[in-house]
Amino acid sequence: MSLAIALYQPDIAGNTGTILRLGACLGLDVHVIEPAGFDISDRALKRAGMDYLETARLVRHVSWTAFLAWREAETRRLVLFTTQATTGYTAFAYRDDDVLLFGRESAGVPEHVHATADARVRIGMIEGARSLNLAVSAGMAAGEANRQVNGHSATSR
């Protein structure tokens, strides 16, 4: 089992493409929980992911319910990245069965998704800052989780 990234109904193809490239480079599956705010075959997705989309491991879930069924069958821990958490992402102890979950760029995740998470963590920002770019947040999270789980910033393949 290895770390994975999950995107809850992402809005912006470019961010998802960048995260797919990140997943390809770090050896992480990227789960997209639909509906997305764009066509998964969108040109912007391909542009941001470049030639890495061929090696990216994209897993699509048609709904939150379908994602939860997969997660239960795989017995994976769900770690939600949210501005509403109190635990810092670098203070959290990651495991190789973790799925790092990120909400929509426009709205985060609804309360029922918050309630389902096994853990909630936040990336600290200066006062007055609202949020980081989704792809930047996913990169920071994946780097830290991978460092803790694998002892380095990228998995050995």
Side-chain angles (χ1 to χ4, degrees):
M1 195 167 299
S2 66
L3 292 164
I5 295 171
L7 306 176
Y8 179 85
Q9 300 179 355
D11 294 319
I12 301 172
N15 283 334
T16 301
T18 299
I19 293 166
L20 283 166
R21 182 177 180 175
L22 171 73
C25 290
L26 297 182
L28 307 175
D29 291 351
V30 177
H31 296 255
V32 173
I33 302 160
E34 298 182 28
F38 55 89
D39 180 355
I40 295 292
S41 63
D42 186 90
R43 271 185 12 187
L45 181 69
K46 292 176 183 167
R47 183 172 54 244
M50 298 175 60
D51 57 339
Y52 290 95
L53 288 183
E54 294 175 13
T55 58
R57 297 189 315 252
L58 171 63
V59 181
R60 293 171 66 179
H61 301 275
V62 297
S63 67
W64 175 247
T65 303
F67 173 77
L68 287 179
W70 167 83
R71 178 181 163 239
E72 185 176 309
E74 295 290 318
T75 61
R76 304 289 295 261
R77 186 170 73 164
L78 191 61
V79 181
L80 175 62
F81 282 73
T82 173
T83 58
Q84 298 176 29
T86 56
T87 302
Y89 82 107
T90 58
F92 185 75
Y94 297 93
R95 305 186 318 215
D96 66 352
D97 66 334
D98 285 341
V99 177
L100 312 177
L101 176 64
F102 298 87
R104 298 177 70 185
E105 292 92 337
S106 63
V109 298
E111 187 53 43
H112 72 275
V113 173
H114 267 272
T116 305
D118 298 303
R120 291 160 204 79
V121 297
R122 74 179 286 131
I123 298 172
M125 297 176 287
I126 63 169
E127 179 129 3
R130 196 173 35 118
S131 66
L132 290 166
N133 172 275
L134 178 64
V136 170
S137 296
M140 293 172 69
E144 176 61 18
N146 217 1
R147 182 191 68 78
Q148 286 187 29
V149 170
N150 299 308
H152 48 79
S153 60
T155 58
S156 299
R157 294 293 258 173

